[in-house]
Amino acid sequence: MLRSHTCGELRISNAGQTVTLSGWVQGVRDKGSLLWIDLRDRYGITQITIETDKASKELVDLARTLGREFVISVTGNVAERYSKSDKLATGDVEINPEKIVVINAAITPPFTIEDETDGGDDIRMKYRYLDLRRNPVRKNLELRHRMAIETRNFLDKLNFLEVETPVLIKSTPEGARDFVVPSRMNQGEFYALPQSPQTFKQLLMVGGFDRYYQIVKCFRDEDLRADRQPEFTQIDCEMAFVEQEDILNTFEGMIRHLFKSVKGIDLPAGQAGIPNKFSRMTYADAMKFYGNDKPDIRFEMKFVELKSPLEGGVRRTGDVDLVSGKDFKVFDDAALVVGICAKGAAEYTRKQMDELTEFIKRPQIGATGLIYARYNLDGTIKSSVDKFYNEGELKKWVVAFDAKPGDLMMLIAGEENKARRALSELRLEMGTRLGLRDKNIFACHWIIDFPLLEFSEEVDSTSIGEKGGRWHAKHHPFTSPKLEDVSLLDTDPGSVRANAYDLVINGVEIGGGSIRIHDKNLQAKMFGLLGFSKEDAQAQFGFLMNAFEFGAPPHGGLAFGFDRLCSLFGGADGIRDFIAFPKNNSGRDVMIDSPSTIAQAQLDELMIALKK
Amino acid sequence: MLRSHTCGELRISNAGQTVTLSGWVQGVRDKGSLLWIDLRDRYGITQITIETDKASKELVDLARTLGREFVISVTGNVAERYSKSDKLATGDVEINPEKIVVINAAITPPFTIEDETDGGDDIRMKYRYLDLRRNPVRKNLELRHRMAIETRNFLDKLNFLEVETPVLIKSTPEGARDFVVPSRMNQGEFYALPQSPQTFKQLLMVGGFDRYYQIVKCFRDEDLRADRQPEFTQIDCEMAFVEQEDILNTFEGMIRHLFKSVKGIDLPAGQAGIPNKFSRMTYADAMKFYGNDKPDIRFEMKFVELKSPLEGGVRRTGDVDLVSGKDFKVFDDAALVVGICAKGAAEYTRKQMDELTEFIKRPQIGATGLIYARYNLDGTIKSSVDKFYNEGELKKWVVAFDAKPGDLMMLIAGEENKARRALSELRLEMGTRLGLRDKNIFACHWIIDFPLLEFSEEVDSTSIGEKGGRWHAKHHPFTSPKLEDVSLLDTDPGSVRANAYDLVINGVEIGGGSIRIHDKNLQAKMFGLLGFSKEDAQAQFGFLMNAFEFGAPPHGGLAFGFDRLCSLFGGADGIRDFIAFPKNNSGRDVMIDSPSTIAQAQLDELMIALKK
């Protein structure tokens, strides 16, 4: 080894020892009679101190040539420091060097290797190997390593087997766009990279493996957003002989274990009546009360309807309408009037209200306006629609919102889904403004009872889809409908609920899964609903349906977005700094300059040509 | 859960309990008054016993409809068996069922789900999910899981970080053929799948990560042999601030840990003078004494030269020639006469000798003939070349071979490399025939001091290669030459030794690696030797050479073939049954029928076309 200790290791108890450290020069301070070098490696920083009048001329001269990020090796004695530092773990000691060797010189890095760097995103990505030297980035990847180790050890103890599934698989038309790989040995044919190991893990269940997991790379050729990468990592899991409740309990256990072992956090119990469990919420309630299938429940601020939407022109039991018939056209015309009550925000200024109005009118949210009513501390109510609603009517709003003096009621009106989506954004914004979204609090809950199908108007190449839209699987085509809803598959597919669930933490979908279909006929029916002809279904998924004929056990599972889980644990918003070598929004690795052109000989061997 | 216990769990202490088991029907035996069902899952087999005159008619009727591989659930009482079985862990008990539920029926599987199946390779691959139900295949994958867990935990304790490197990288002309992935967002450009994470792990070292590992899929588009798969798994490792000795010791420790923790084997110490270490052998010695850079040293049987090859027409010190000038043209004309001494094989019959002669004359070995001399138990010597060599001359052979009465000396003559290769095959064959290659003995050793370069006559597209062959990196272009040999790079590249090493176990190359170049100029010189123009080297590997300018530490590492390591631990010859879903020799997954054609729309989006 080119070192006896790391740069984070020496303590006062090492004083008097002769040691060798190797690392990078973080900085040199030259005060004439004293010269200090901060030597850095992954484990910490150790101070090297040279008394220039006592040290050899060669050593001092050499030390004065050292620049930032030089790789050097230092041999010397560990001494107690005169002025100790409590900022460094090694702050009680320093090295008085006998010998310094320059292992590799360095040119000046294009940005500072500090916790707070002067480098922008682009330059940090181009020189990612330098960015990795920075503590925050390194710590993110150390966290990721720890999460993977703890995940594996937890699942291993429960008899889960990690099984590697293939990366070179088969392209299928369902789901997102595949990356494909031309086959040289089977010309004219292509492999696809997996969007998930879904069918393989189901085949493992048919193969009797009963508890499977894998931390595995998956691939989607989709247009990228900040939080998406063309290759990403999942904790992929599947179990046989289980029902939904077993899956939820097992993986709630895993998440609790990760919080405890990695962050030292004991997650609190969930909703009343189910102690020690994450709370549960149906998809229908999530949409009704939060306008969102991944609500952030670190704070309450539930939606309250002042005018409930009609279903098929009919008012249902419990529906309300506190706003129609008062000549306020916006509310009269709206299918839905829905709002939230922001505690203690009654004194928001006109400027703040204007900001919030602008916020929800942005194109990506698209609400037409914000109506509000202040319930002042003196008990009066002042609304932006006082022209239409008198105090008595506004009092009814107060009751509906269970508002207290000092609260601000905010309303959005319009088409049902659009209004809910906009209000969901406003709710999150208000949560942030009111300091209700503390990154050190983790609110975990399951969303259950997702719809099995959703209709898309998009025309596609399936036999039904080409005629003007079709049903799509909300989760994926292997998800089982709830037993009690199966009869609705023929009459009202949109109302069929699935045995599907998502784990949501702090408003982020961390994982999701389902109990799968394990019956050949039901699976065939599902493919039919999705627009596959019998022939297409057999060609694409015949291997799975055939496997179901040889004794398939009931099974289900889920997958967690590992990049996102790590970023949540790391207290960050984006996933990029939890990936060692991420790609940019054009799918490029700007460090290695990839993708790139390939030689004509390679194209020829693969029997493909580029089109202009 | 659809079970209270697994099928491998119940013991006599559970007698009297009511339990629910779920699993597959291994078989049904119907003796009229008694009916037994063997119920199987991943954990074992439990016997279900029905006394047909005591059980309900419905239950008995149902039991009689059960076929092999039906998935059923059984609820009943655990009872002590009348006749216990010591073949099953659950052999002391049986279940007397109250209720049987058929969860999923099964059609008859195309081969028997038994340890010894009647299914051939092709059908087992097509129905791999059924093959996975068989104990031997499942145990292989359980072993693989255990090896991965133990590898990770060992390296984690040594502060190694598992870092995921990208799968979508860049195609480079050096090495094997890449699989490529057309980029939709960067049209006309391609990603490549990694043959190894080599450059990324080196960049992690430049990034200060100092101890990296990854259990990672790698890809090579090469024509396949029995022991090769287009996608395979490596334990990939790298360390900074180390020398070769540090790498060997660290990963020898890992291999010892795996043998101990997975197989309960304490590997013996190595050669004399280096206790507790695997033995070491130079590449030159491996070739000289075993004709092979991955010798099986479970047995000695070293090569003995009777006529040493000349080097540049010159006889070197210690060279011998015990055979020339006796009118035996085969030996007179041969550059090398080399042999092995098979202990106790003097009494091999004529038929056995003919078999061995045929063996080495097969085209894939290609020797022209086998000469032998029996050193009989009575002290006489009888050779196949008695016409040319008298007893006095043959006695010199005996001395050279250190043969004992009863031994058989076998000689091959010819061109140096060809003769050694053929004798290497004969040595392995004799080792097998003499029972010297016990699968329960593991002989681990390092081969060191590989040559840095090897010359290939093949014409390729590099600027040197197109003129008629060029130097290729024996390991890869990032391997460092031995310091003392650097001056030979200009004068005699073929004689330069590398800081490169392989781990060989029982004649199988299990892993290999090197200390890398960490100096930009040396790396540039290496690319020059390999035929890259400066521009090409910069275009392909500029990111790495540039990184070396920003303070690169000395570093090195290695990679283990994980599939092969698992197969060695499992006592098997091939890797295929240690991979859950392998591909066949044409790179096809016959289960999912991949690769396959893709839609024209996909090709259009990627702007590529198929050529006829």
Side-chain angles (χ1 to χ4, degrees):
Chain A
M1 298 273 177
L2 305 179
R3 61 188 177 199
S4 63
H5 296 75
T6 71
C7 296
E9 198 174 346
L10 296 173
R11 298 290 182 274
I12 192 72
S13 57
N14 299 102
Q17 293 177 9
T18 298
V19 300
T20 299
L21 304 185
S22 292
W24 286 263
V25 173
Q26 178 73 27
V28 179
R29 281 164 297 146
D30 189 347
K31 297 278 180 189
S33 61
L34 280 172
L35 189 150
W36 295 276
I37 304 164
D38 278 343
L39 190 64
R40 185 198 74 229
D41 65 14
R42 181 184 135 199
Y43 309 91
I45 288 179
T46 300
Q47 180 172 286
I48 318 296
T49 304
I50 303 173
E51 293 184 63
T52 53
D53 51 353
K54 290 192 187 161
S56 76
K57 183 171 182 308
E58 290 74 19
L59 189 96
V60 175
D61 287 351
L62 177 71
R64 287 190 164 133
T65 67
L66 298 176
R68 278 201 288 137
E69 302 305 316
F70 274 44
V71 178
I72 64 170
S73 166
V74 176
T75 301
N77 296 304
V78 182
E80 185 171 358
R81 276 210 216 178
Y82 292 111
S83 63
K84 299 193 171 59
S85 162
D86 55 9
K87 286 184 193 151
L88 295 176
T90 62
D92 288 351
V93 296
E94 62 188 9
I95 309 286
N96 302 134
E98 289 155 11
K99 189 176 150 196
I100 296 178
V101 177
V102 176
I103 296 179
N104 219 339
I107 59 177
T108 306
F111 53 85
T112 54
I113 313 293
E114 308 272 358
D115 289 6
E116 298 290 330
T117 180
D118 58 358
D121 269 2
D122 290 350
I123 194 116
R124 286 175 49 215
M125 287 301 143
K126 183 165 167 58
Y127 297 94
R128 183 62 163 176
Y129 46 86
L130 298 179
D131 202 29
L132 290 171
R133 290 185 192 163
R134 295 172 53 238
N135 285 323
V137 182
R138 195 198 63 245
K139 281 181 182 160
N140 289 345
L141 292 170
E142 286 172 347
L143 171 75
R144 187 181 177 111
H145 165 76
R146 182 60 39 214
M147 305 258 310
I149 286 271
E150 291 294 345
T151 297
R152 289 190 161 100
N153 288 337
F154 178 84
L155 293 173
D156 179 54
K157 285 209 184 79
L158 293 183
N159 273 324
F160 281 81
L161 292 173
E162 184 161 27
V163 180
E164 292 175 59
T165 53
V167 175
L168 296 171
I169 66 164
K170 181 172 170 168
S171 189
T172 61
E174 196 63 22
R177 197 186 288 107
D178 285 322
F179 282 105
V180 297
V181 181
S183 167
R184 180 182 54 87
M185 287 204 280
N186 303 273
Q187 290 191 340
E189 298 188 328
F190 291 77
Y191 302 99
L193 304 183
Q195 296 181 29
S196 90
Q198 183 61 35
T199 50
F200 289 97
K201 68 177 175 175
Q202 292 192 243
L203 290 172
L204 285 172
M205 296 304 113
V206 176
F209 273 58
D210 111 335
R211 292 183 167 208
Y212 145 92
Y213 79 97
Q214 189 181 188
I215 301 184
V216 59
K217 275 280 175 74
C218 299
F219 306 86
R220 274 182 210 172
D221 185 13
E222 293 296 329
D223 297 329
L224 302 175
R225 296 181 312 220
D227 214 26
R228 268 202 197 155
Q229 286 278 317
E231 51 180 300
F232 56 98
T233 304
Q234 286 188 351
I235 306 173
D236 190 52
C237 308
E238 196 80 4
M239 302 173 81
F241 301 116
V242 291
E243 295 164 304
Q244 174 171 308
E245 190 64 24
D246 303 312
I247 306 261
L248 302 193
N249 290 337
T250 302
F251 293 98
E252 174 167 335
M254 186 184 94
I255 294 294
R256 286 182 183 275
H257 171 77
L258 287 176
F259 272 103
K260 180 70 180 169
S261 60
V262 176
K263 292 186 76 75
I265 292 175
D266 276 307
L267 287 180
Q271 65 203 19
I274 315 185
N276 301 315
K277 289 201 183 176
F278 292 167
S279 58
R280 312 271 173 96
M281 193 185 299
T282 64
Y283 173 85
D285 278 355
M287 297 309 288
K288 184 176 174 67
F289 294 117
Y290 302 95
N292 194 318
D293 62 3
K294 43 179 196 279
D296 184 347
I297 59 163
R298 277 175 295 187
F299 61 107
E300 188 88 350
M301 211 186 281
K302 277 189 185 174
F303 287 12
V304 172
E305 293 175 5
L306 294 193
K307 176 181 179 182
S308 305
L310 305 183
E311 197 172 16
V314 177
R315 194 155 294 286
R316 291 160 300 185
T317 320
D319 280 1
V320 295
D321 186 352
L322 303 178
V323 296
S324 294
K326 302 291 168 183
D327 288 337
F328 183 43
K329 196 167 159 33
V330 171
F331 282 1
D332 285 349
D333 292 351
L336 171 70
V337 178
V338 63
I340 51 176
C341 176
K343 295 277 163 206
E347 296 188 354
Y348 262 37
T349 62
R350 180 59 189 253
K351 180 158 168 284
Q352 286 172 303
M353 295 315 299
D354 286 348
E355 278 170 16
L356 290 171
T357 304
E358 286 315 304
F359 173 82
I360 62 160
K361 286 169 87 171
R362 289 182 309 158
Q364 56 269 51
I365 298 183
T368 48
L370 176 63
I371 287 112
Y372 57 88
R374 306 171 190 274
Y375 189 14
N376 296 314
L377 284 171
D378 64 6
T380 60
I381 308 174
K382 177 77 190 145
S383 84
S384 60
V385 285
D386 281 352
K387 229 186 324 179
F388 305 104
Y389 299 95
N390 61 33
E391 177 132 3
E393 283 150 356
L394 294 175
K395 280 279 186 200
K396 291 186 189 157
W397 296 13
V398 165
V399 172
F401 279 109
D402 191 24
K404 302 284 175 285
D407 292 352
L408 174 69
M409 294 167 275
M410 289 183 281
L411 299 173
I412 289 179
E415 186 273 319
E416 178 172 359
N417 291 330
K418 211 169 147 188
R420 289 198 196 283
R421 266 201 305 276
L423 188 61
S424 170
E425 295 294 332
L426 180 64
R427 176 181 174 273
L428 292 173
E429 174 68 17
M430 288 308 298
T432 302
R433 286 179 177 236
L434 296 174
L436 303 174
R437 304 178 75 189
D438 183 344
K439 279 193 179 169
N440 297 310
I441 290 176
F442 296 92
C444 309
H445 60 126
W446 294 102
I447 305 291
I448 57 174
D449 296 356
F450 277 83
L452 183 69
L453 300 159
E454 57 188 355
F455 198 82
S456 160
E457 310 278 338
E458 208 177 314
V459 172
D460 62 33
S461 64
T462 62
S463 50
I464 298 181
E466 67 195 6
K467 297 185 196 96
R470 64 170 175 104
W471 291 104
H472 286 255
K474 174 96 179 160
H475 185 49
H476 57 49
F478 315 107
T479 298
S480 65
K482 288 209 175 287
L483 198 59
E484 58 269 36
D485 290 0
V486 165
S487 60
L488 297 169
L489 280 173
D490 294 316
T491 54
D492 185 7
S495 73
V496 176
R497 291 166 305 155
N499 293 308
Y501 32 81
D502 277 356
L503 178 67
V504 174
I505 306 181
N506 291 2
V508 179
E509 184 212 320
I510 288 297
S514 62
I515 299 295
R516 326 299 183 185
I517 295 168
H518 64 279
D519 175 77
K520 182 183 178 172
N521 295 328
L522 184 55
Q523 186 65 68
K525 187 186 187 81
M526 187 71 183
F527 283 126
L529 272 171
L530 297 176
F532 285 80
S533 68
K534 273 190 183 164
E535 294 69 30
D536 281 353
Q538 188 61 35
Q540 298 293 344
F541 298 107
F543 63 95
L544 185 67
M545 289 191 287
N546 295 346
F548 288 171
E549 292 202 292
F550 290 102
H555 61 285
L558 79 182
F560 295 96
F562 189 55
D563 308 297
R564 210 174 279 175
L565 187 62
C566 292
S567 114
L568 179 89
F569 270 61
D573 292 322
I575 60 174
R576 209 177 271 181
D577 271 344
F578 293 79
I579 297 173
F581 300 102
K583 293 184 174 57
N584 73 10
N585 280 355
S586 312
R588 294 200 72 82
D589 180 330
V590 294
M591 179 185 71
I592 63 169
D593 192 23
S594 163
S596 59
T597 55
I598 60 174
Q600 186 61 42
Q602 285 176 285
L603 295 171
D604 292 345
E605 265 195 320
L606 296 169
M607 294 292 277
I608 58 173
L610 301 181
K611 286 201 287 197
K612 298 289 167 214
Chain B
M1 299 274 177
L2 305 179
R3 63 187 176 200
S4 64
H5 296 75
T6 71
C7 296
E9 197 173 346
L10 296 173
R11 298 288 181 275
I12 192 75
S13 57
N14 299 101
Q17 293 177 10
T18 297
V19 300
T20 299
L21 305 185
S22 292
W24 287 262
V25 173
Q26 178 73 26
V28 179
R29 280 164 298 146
D30 189 347
K31 298 278 182 189
S33 61
L34 282 172
L35 188 150
W36 295 276
I37 304 164
D38 279 341
L39 190 65
R40 185 197 74 230
D41 66 13
R42 181 184 134 198
Y43 309 91
I45 288 180
T46 301
Q47 180 173 286
I48 317 297
T49 304
I50 303 173
E51 294 184 63
T52 53
D53 52 352
K54 291 192 185 160
S56 76
K57 183 170 182 308
E58 291 74 18
L59 189 97
V60 175
D61 287 349
L62 178 70
R64 288 190 163 134
T65 67
L66 298 177
R68 279 199 288 137
E69 303 304 318
F70 274 46
V71 179
I72 65 170
S73 166
V74 176
T75 302
N77 295 305
V78 182
E80 185 172 359
R81 274 210 216 178
Y82 292 111
S83 61
K84 300 192 170 59
S85 162
D86 54 10
K87 287 185 192 149
L88 295 175
T90 62
D92 287 352
V93 297
E94 60 187 11
I95 309 286
N96 302 134
E98 289 157 10
K99 188 177 153 197
I100 296 179
V101 177
V102 176
I103 296 178
N104 218 338
I107 60 176
T108 307
F111 53 86
T112 55
I113 313 293
E114 307 274 358
D115 290 6
E116 298 290 331
T117 180
D118 59 357
D121 269 3
D122 289 351
I123 194 116
R124 287 174 49 215
M125 287 302 143
K126 182 164 167 60
Y127 298 93
R128 184 62 163 175
Y129 46 86
L130 298 179
D131 202 29
L132 290 170
R133 289 187 193 162
R134 295 172 53 239
N135 285 322
V137 182
R138 196 199 61 246
K139 281 182 182 161
N140 289 345
L141 293 169
E142 287 173 346
L143 171 75
R144 186 180 178 113
H145 165 76
R146 182 60 38 216
M147 305 248 326
I149 286 271
E150 291 294 343
T151 297
R152 287 189 160 100
N153 287 337
F154 177 84
L155 292 173
D156 180 53
K157 285 208 183 77
L158 293 183
N159 273 324
F160 281 80
L161 293 173
E162 183 160 31
V163 180
E164 291 175 60
T165 53
V167 175
L168 297 170
I169 65 164
K170 180 173 170 169
S171 189
T172 61
E174 197 63 21
R177 197 186 287 107
D178 285 324
F179 282 105
V180 297
V181 181
S183 167
R184 180 182 54 88
M185 286 205 280
N186 302 272
Q187 289 191 341
E189 298 189 326
F190 291 77
Y191 301 100
L193 304 183
Q195 297 180 29
S196 90
Q198 183 62 34
T199 50
F200 289 96
K201 67 178 175 174
Q202 292 192 244
L203 290 171
L204 285 172
M205 295 304 113
V206 176
F209 272 58
D210 110 335
R211 293 183 167 208
Y212 145 91
Y213 79 98
Q214 190 181 188
I215 300 184
V216 60
K217 276 279 175 75
C218 300
F219 306 86
R220 275 182 210 172
D221 185 11
E222 293 296 329
D223 297 330
L224 302 175
R225 295 181 312 218
D227 213 25
R228 269 202 197 155
Q229 287 277 317
E231 52 180 298
F232 55 97
T233 304
Q234 287 188 349
I235 308 173
D236 190 52
C237 309
E238 196 81 2
M239 302 172 81
F241 300 116
V242 291
E243 295 164 305
Q244 175 170 307
E245 190 63 23
D246 303 313
I247 305 261
L248 302 193
N249 291 337
T250 302
F251 292 98
E252 174 167 334
M254 186 184 94
I255 294 293
R256 286 181 182 276
H257 171 76
L258 288 176
F259 271 103
K260 180 70 179 168
S261 60
V262 176
K263 292 187 75 74
I265 292 175
D266 276 307
L267 287 181
Q271 64 204 20
I274 315 185
N276 301 317
K277 288 200 182 175
F278 292 167
S279 59
R280 314 269 173 95
M281 192 185 300
T282 64
Y283 173 84
D285 278 353
M287 296 309 288
K288 184 176 174 65
F289 294 117
Y290 301 95
N292 194 318
D293 63 2
K294 43 178 197 279
D296 184 346
I297 58 164
R298 276 175 295 187
F299 61 108
E300 187 87 350
M301 210 186 283
K302 276 188 186 174
F303 288 11
V304 172
E305 294 174 5
L306 295 193
K307 178 182 178 182
S308 306
L310 305 183
E311 197 172 16
V314 178
R315 194 155 294 286
R316 292 160 300 185
T317 319
D319 279 0
V320 295
D321 187 351
L322 303 178
V323 296
S324 295
K326 302 291 169 184
D327 288 337
F328 184 43
K329 198 168 156 32
V330 171
F331 282 2
D332 284 350
D333 291 352
L336 171 69
V337 178
V338 63
I340 52 175
C341 176
K343 295 278 163 205
E347 297 188 356
Y348 262 37
T349 62
R350 180 58 189 254
K351 180 159 169 281
Q352 286 173 302
M353 295 314 299
D354 286 348
E355 278 170 15
L356 291 171
T357 305
E358 286 314 303
F359 173 81
I360 63 162
K361 286 169 89 172
R362 291 182 307 158
Q364 55 270 49
I365 298 183
T368 48
L370 176 63
I371 286 111
Y372 57 89
R374 305 171 192 276
Y375 188 13
N376 295 314
L377 283 171
D378 63 8
T380 60
I381 309 174
K382 178 75 190 146
S383 85
S384 60
V385 286
D386 280 353
K387 226 186 327 180
F388 306 103
Y389 300 95
N390 62 32
E391 176 132 4
E393 283 151 356
L394 294 176
K395 279 281 184 200
K396 289 186 190 158
W397 296 14
V398 164
V399 172
F401 277 110
D402 192 22
K404 300 284 176 286
D407 292 355
L408 174 69
M409 295 167 273
M410 289 182 281
L411 300 173
I412 288 178
E415 187 273 318
E416 179 174 358
N417 290 331
K418 212 171 146 187
R420 289 197 197 283
R421 267 202 304 274
L423 189 61
S424 170
E425 295 294 331
L426 181 64
R427 175 181 175 274
L428 293 173
E429 174 67 17
M430 288 308 299
T432 303
R433 286 180 178 237
L434 296 174
L436 303 173
R437 303 178 75 190
D438 182 345
K439 279 193 176 167
N440 297 310
I441 290 177
F442 296 92
C444 310
H445 60 127
W446 294 101
I447 305 290
I448 56 173
D449 296 357
F450 277 83
L452 183 69
L453 300 160
E454 58 189 354
F455 198 82
S456 161
E457 309 279 338
E458 208 177 313
V459 172
D460 63 31
S461 64
T462 62
S463 50
I464 296 182
E466 68 194 6
K467 296 184 196 95
R470 64 171 176 103
W471 291 104
H472 285 255
K474 175 95 179 161
H475 185 50
H476 58 46
F478 315 106
T479 298
S480 65
K482 289 211 174 285
L483 198 58
E484 58 268 36
D485 290 358
V486 165
S487 61
L488 296 169
L489 280 173
D490 294 316
T491 55
D492 183 9
S495 72
V496 176
R497 292 165 306 156
N499 293 309
Y501 32 81
D502 276 357
L503 179 67
V504 174
I505 306 181
N506 292 1
V508 179
E509 184 212 319
I510 288 296
S514 62
I515 299 295
R516 326 299 183 185
I517 296 168
H518 64 278
D519 176 77
K520 182 183 180 172
N521 295 327
L522 184 55
Q523 186 66 68
K525 185 186 189 81
M526 187 71 183
F527 283 126
L529 271 171
L530 296 176
F532 286 81
S533 68
K534 273 189 183 165
E535 294 69 31
D536 281 353
Q538 188 61 36
Q540 298 293 343
F541 297 107
F543 62 95
L544 185 66
M545 290 191 286
N546 294 347
F548 287 171
E549 292 203 292
F550 290 102
H555 61 286
L558 80 182
F560 295 96
F562 189 55
D563 309 296
R564 210 173 280 175
L565 187 63
C566 291
S567 113
L568 179 90
F569 269 62
D573 291 323
I575 61 173
R576 209 176 272 182
D577 271 344
F578 292 80
I579 296 172
F581 300 102
K583 294 184 175 57
N584 73 9
N585 281 355
S586 313
R588 292 200 74 80
D589 181 330
V590 294
M591 179 185 71
I592 63 169
D593 191 24
S594 162
S596 60
T597 55
I598 60 174
Q600 186 60 43
Q602 284 176 285
L603 294 171
D604 292 345
E605 265 196 320
L606 297 170
M607 294 290 277
I608 59 173
L610 301 182
K611 285 201 288 197
K612 297 290 167 217

